[in-house]
Protein backbone atom coordinates (compact mmCIF):
# COMPACT_ATOMS: atom_id res chain seq x y z
CA UNK A 1 0.00 0.00 0.00
CA UNK A 2 1.09 3.55 -0.68
CA UNK A 3 0.69 5.80 2.40
CA UNK A 4 1.89 9.38 2.16
CA UNK A 5 1.41 11.86 4.99
CA UNK A 6 1.51 15.59 4.29
CA UNK A 7 1.29 18.14 7.11
CA UNK A 8 -0.83 20.79 5.38
CA UNK A 9 -1.79 24.37 6.14
CA UNK A 10 -0.85 26.78 8.90
CA UNK A 11 -2.14 24.40 11.62
CA UNK A 12 -0.18 21.46 10.10
CA UNK A 13 -3.11 19.11 9.66
CA UNK A 14 -1.89 15.64 8.69
CA UNK A 15 -3.33 14.71 5.30
CA UNK A 16 -3.04 10.99 4.52
CA UNK A 17 -3.15 9.65 0.98
CA UNK A 18 -3.69 5.89 0.78
CA UNK A 19 -3.13 4.29 -2.60
CA UNK A 20 -3.75 0.78 -3.88
CA UNK A 21 -0.80 -0.29 -6.05
CA UNK A 22 -2.89 -2.70 -8.14
CA UNK A 23 -5.80 -0.48 -9.16
CA UNK A 24 -4.03 2.91 -8.69
CA UNK A 25 -7.05 4.15 -6.72
CA UNK A 26 -6.50 6.40 -3.71
CA UNK A 27 -8.41 7.94 -0.86
CA UNK A 28 -7.50 11.28 0.62
CA UNK A 29 -8.13 11.90 4.32
CA UNK A 30 -8.22 15.52 5.52
CA UNK A 31 -6.63 17.34 2.57
CA UNK A 32 -6.57 20.69 4.40
CA UNK A 33 -6.03 23.53 1.99
CA UNK A 34 -2.90 22.41 0.13
CA UNK A 35 -4.58 20.90 -2.89
CA UNK A 36 -1.53 21.25 -5.15
CA UNK A 37 0.62 19.11 -2.84
CA UNK A 38 -2.08 16.43 -2.77
CA UNK A 39 -2.26 16.54 -6.56
CA UNK A 40 1.54 16.19 -6.74
CA UNK A 41 1.41 13.01 -4.63
CA UNK A 42 -1.39 11.58 -6.78
CA UNK A 43 0.64 12.33 -9.93
CA UNK A 44 3.90 10.99 -8.46
CA UNK A 45 2.28 7.59 -7.78
CA UNK A 46 -0.05 7.68 -10.80
CA UNK A 47 -3.13 7.51 -8.55
CA UNK A 48 -6.76 8.39 -9.21
CA UNK A 49 -8.72 9.85 -6.28
CA UNK A 50 -11.65 7.66 -5.26
CA UNK A 51 -12.86 9.42 -2.09
CA UNK A 52 -12.13 12.67 -0.25
CA UNK A 53 -12.84 12.04 3.43
CA UNK A 54 -13.02 14.59 6.24
CA UNK A 55 -12.59 13.25 9.78
CA UNK A 56 -14.47 16.41 10.85
CA UNK A 57 -15.35 19.82 9.46
CA UNK A 58 -12.80 22.13 11.10
CA UNK A 59 -11.33 24.45 8.52
CA UNK A 60 -7.77 23.13 8.85
CA UNK A 61 -9.06 19.73 7.64
CA UNK A 62 -11.65 20.79 5.04
CA UNK A 63 -10.44 24.14 3.65
CA UNK A 64 -9.43 22.62 0.29
CA UNK A 65 -12.03 19.89 -0.21
CA UNK A 66 -14.08 21.93 -2.69
CA UNK A 67 -11.04 22.60 -4.89
CA UNK A 68 -9.80 19.02 -4.57
CA UNK A 69 -13.26 17.80 -5.57
CA UNK A 70 -13.21 20.13 -8.58
CA UNK A 71 -9.82 18.92 -9.82
CA UNK A 72 -10.26 15.20 -9.09
CA UNK A 73 -14.03 14.66 -9.40
CA UNK A 74 -13.88 12.40 -6.31
CA UNK A 75 -16.87 12.50 -3.94
CA UNK A 76 -16.62 14.34 -0.63
CA UNK A 77 -17.57 12.38 2.51
CA UNK A 78 -18.13 13.51 6.10
CA UNK A 79 -20.45 12.81 9.02
CA UNK A 80 -23.79 14.62 8.79
CA UNK A 81 -23.46 15.97 12.34
CA UNK A 82 -20.58 18.18 11.18
CA UNK A 83 -22.50 19.60 8.22
CA UNK A 84 -23.52 22.77 10.13
CA UNK A 85 -19.84 23.33 10.94
CA UNK A 86 -18.91 22.89 7.29
CA UNK A 87 -21.68 25.16 6.07
CA UNK A 88 -20.34 27.80 8.47
CA UNK A 89 -16.72 27.35 7.42
CA UNK A 90 -16.68 31.07 6.54
CA UNK A 91 -17.23 31.83 10.25
CA UNK A 92 -14.32 29.51 11.12
CA UNK A 93 -12.17 31.37 8.57
CA UNK A 94 -13.14 34.73 10.10
CA UNK A 95 -12.24 33.35 13.54
CA UNK A 96 -8.75 32.50 12.22
CA UNK A 97 -8.54 35.76 10.25
CA UNK A 98 -8.18 34.08 6.86
CA UNK A 99 -10.18 34.28 3.62
CA UNK A 100 -13.24 32.00 3.51
CA UNK A 101 -12.71 28.88 1.36
CA UNK A 102 -14.95 27.69 -1.44
CA UNK A 103 -17.66 25.26 -0.17
CA UNK A 104 -18.86 22.12 -1.96
CA UNK A 105 -21.93 19.91 -1.63
CA UNK A 106 -21.15 16.86 0.50
CA UNK A 107 -21.75 13.76 -1.66
CA UNK A 108 -22.09 11.13 1.04
CA UNK A 109 -22.62 11.16 4.80
CA UNK A 110 -20.54 8.79 6.91
CA UNK A 111 -22.11 6.66 9.63
CA UNK A 112 -20.60 4.42 12.28
CA UNK A 113 -19.81 1.02 10.77
CA UNK A 114 -19.74 2.16 7.13
CA UNK A 115 -17.22 0.33 4.95
CA UNK A 116 -15.49 2.37 2.24
CA UNK A 117 -13.82 0.28 -0.44
CA UNK A 118 -11.10 1.20 -2.94
CA UNK A 119 -8.91 -1.30 -4.74
CA UNK A 120 -8.61 -4.30 -2.42
CA UNK A 121 -8.76 -2.11 0.73
CA UNK A 122 -11.54 -1.45 3.19
CA UNK A 123 -11.82 1.48 5.56
CA UNK A 124 -14.28 1.21 8.43
CA UNK A 125 -15.90 4.36 9.80
CA UNK A 126 -15.92 4.76 13.62
CA UNK A 127 -18.13 7.55 14.94
CA UNK A 128 -16.00 9.27 17.62
CA UNK A 129 -17.87 12.47 18.58
CA UNK A 130 -16.53 14.85 21.19
CA UNK A 131 -13.97 17.10 19.45
CA UNK A 132 -16.90 18.01 17.20
CA UNK A 133 -20.37 16.42 16.94
CA UNK A 134 -19.53 14.65 13.67
CA UNK A 135 -15.93 13.64 14.33
CA UNK A 136 -15.06 10.21 12.95
CA UNK A 137 -12.01 7.97 13.14
CA UNK A 138 -11.14 5.60 10.31
CA UNK A 139 -9.92 2.03 10.65
CA UNK A 140 -8.05 0.42 7.77
CA UNK A 141 -8.85 -3.30 7.88
CA UNK A 142 -6.47 -6.17 7.19
CA UNK A 143 -2.75 -6.80 7.64
CA UNK A 144 -1.94 -3.08 7.23
CA UNK A 145 -4.40 -2.23 10.01
CA UNK A 146 -4.11 1.36 11.21
CA UNK A 147 -6.33 4.04 12.65
CA UNK A 148 -6.75 7.62 11.53
CA UNK A 149 -7.93 9.38 14.67
CA UNK A 150 -8.55 12.89 13.32
CA UNK A 151 -8.48 15.38 16.19
CA UNK A 152 -9.94 12.83 18.64
CA UNK A 153 -6.69 11.23 19.85
CA UNK A 154 -3.17 12.64 19.59
CA UNK A 155 0.19 11.35 20.81
CA UNK A 156 0.05 12.23 24.52
CA UNK A 157 -3.10 14.31 24.23
CA UNK A 158 -6.70 14.48 23.03
CA UNK A 159 -8.61 16.96 20.89
CA UNK A 160 -9.86 20.20 22.40
CA UNK A 161 -13.54 20.24 23.28
CA UNK A 162 -14.09 23.97 23.78
CA UNK A 163 -14.91 24.60 20.12
CA UNK A 164 -18.34 24.46 18.43
CA UNK A 165 -20.30 21.48 19.74
CA UNK A 166 -17.38 19.88 21.58
CA UNK A 167 -17.89 17.64 24.63
CA UNK A 168 -15.19 16.44 27.01
CA UNK A 169 -17.32 13.55 28.31
CA UNK A 170 -18.16 12.48 24.78
CA UNK A 171 -14.57 12.50 23.49
CA UNK A 172 -13.44 10.35 26.44
CA UNK A 173 -16.31 7.94 25.84
CA UNK A 174 -15.45 7.77 22.11
CA UNK A 175 -11.79 7.03 22.84
CA UNK A 176 -12.64 4.38 25.41
CA UNK A 177 -15.41 2.63 23.49
CA UNK A 178 -14.09 2.91 19.94
CA UNK A 179 -10.31 3.38 19.93
CA UNK A 180 -8.97 1.61 23.03
CA UNK A 181 -10.75 -1.57 21.87
CA UNK A 182 -8.00 -2.13 19.30
CA UNK A 183 -4.87 -4.22 20.00
CA UNK A 184 -1.96 -2.39 21.65
CA UNK A 185 0.22 -2.62 18.54
CA UNK A 186 -2.32 -0.85 16.31
CA UNK A 187 -0.69 2.20 14.67
CA UNK A 188 -2.57 5.49 15.08
CA UNK A 189 -2.17 8.44 12.72
CA UNK A 190 -3.58 11.57 14.40
CA UNK A 191 -4.83 14.70 12.65
CA UNK A 192 -1.86 16.64 14.04
CA UNK A 193 1.58 15.62 15.28
CA UNK A 194 3.47 12.32 15.14
CA UNK A 195 2.00 8.83 14.79
CA UNK A 196 1.58 6.63 17.86
CA UNK A 197 0.02 3.30 18.87
CA UNK A 198 -3.02 2.33 20.92
CA UNK A 199 -0.70 0.71 23.51
CA UNK A 200 1.52 3.80 23.87
CA UNK A 201 -1.52 6.01 24.47
CA UNK A 202 -3.12 3.58 26.88
CA UNK A 203 0.17 3.58 28.81
CA UNK A 204 1.28 7.24 28.70
CA UNK A 205 -1.57 9.54 27.65
CA UNK A 206 -2.47 11.56 30.79
CA UNK A 207 -6.03 12.18 29.55
CA UNK A 208 -6.72 8.44 29.38
CA UNK A 209 -5.64 7.61 32.95
CA UNK A 210 -9.20 8.09 34.22
CA UNK A 211 -10.66 5.62 31.66
ZN1 LIG B 1 -10.37 19.87 14.69
ZN1 LIG C 1 -7.25 19.90 13.35
Amino acid sequence: MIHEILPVGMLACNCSILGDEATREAIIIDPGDEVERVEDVLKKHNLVARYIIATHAHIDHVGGIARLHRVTGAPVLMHESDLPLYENVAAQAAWLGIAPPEVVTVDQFLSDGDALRWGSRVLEVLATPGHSPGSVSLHLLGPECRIFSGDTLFQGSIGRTDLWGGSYLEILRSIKDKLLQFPETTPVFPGHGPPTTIGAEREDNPFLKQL
Side-chain angles (χ1 to χ4, degrees):
M1 186 181 64
I2 297 158
H3 183 186
E4 293 252 17
I5 302 165
L6 305 173
V8 291
M10 67 183 199
L11 298 175
C13 163
N14 286 325
C15 167
S16 269
I17 299 163
L18 300 177
D20 186 283
E21 308 90 328
T23 65
R24 311 316 294 186
E25 292 171 287
I27 62 165
I28 299 132
I29 301 172
D30 290 346
D33 62 358
E34 294 203 46
V35 173
E36 295 74 20
R37 287 177 67 203
V38 173
E39 283 187 273
D40 287 346
V41 169
L42 294 175
K43 273 191 207 117
K44 179 174 102 181
H45 295 290
N46 190 26
L47 296 168
V48 173
R50 183 84 166 73
Y51 296 117
I52 301 165
I53 305 170
T55 60
H56 63 295
H58 285 158
I59 189 168
D60 52 323
H61 298 251
V62 299
I65 59 176
R67 269 192 302 146
L68 189 61
H69 171 75
R70 192 149 39 74
V71 297
T72 63
V76 169
L77 285 61
M78 71 174 68
H79 195 286
E80 193 170 8
S81 299
D82 262 19
L83 192 59
L85 260 179
Y86 183 58
E87 288 173 338
N88 286 297
V89 75
Q92 297 187 54
W95 185 69
L96 283 174
I98 59 174
E102 186 186 330
V103 173
V104 69
T105 303
V106 175
D107 296 286
Q108 187 180 326
F109 292 124
L110 299 172
S111 299
D112 190 57
D114 281 356
L116 303 171
R117 292 161 203 280
W118 79 108
S120 60
R121 327 258 165 200
V122 183
L123 197 68
E124 179 193 17
V125 176
L126 309 168
T128 50
H131 174 63
S132 69
S135 279
V136 300
S137 298
L138 302 159
H139 164 219
L140 179 70
L141 274 67
E144 291 152 325
C145 171
R146 61 199 63 194
I147 291 172
F148 299 89
S149 60
D151 287 1
T152 298
L153 180 63
F154 299 124
Q155 184 201 57
S157 188
I158 64 172
R160 58 191 288 182
T161 53
D162 59 332
L163 297 174
W164 312 273
S167 161
Y168 189 69
L169 285 179
E170 228 175 3
I171 198 171
L172 289 180
R173 193 184 313 135
S174 291
I175 292 168
K176 178 167 185 264
D177 293 351
K178 297 288 175 60
L179 302 184
L180 296 186
Q181 305 301 321
F182 285 90
E184 305 237 314
T185 53
T186 310
V188 177
F189 293 88
H192 300 269
T196 181
T197 64
I198 291 294
E201 295 317 305
R202 198 196 300 269
E203 189 74 14
D204 295 328
N205 191 317
F207 293 92
L208 309 188
K209 296 282 184 232
Q210 54 191 295
L211 298 182

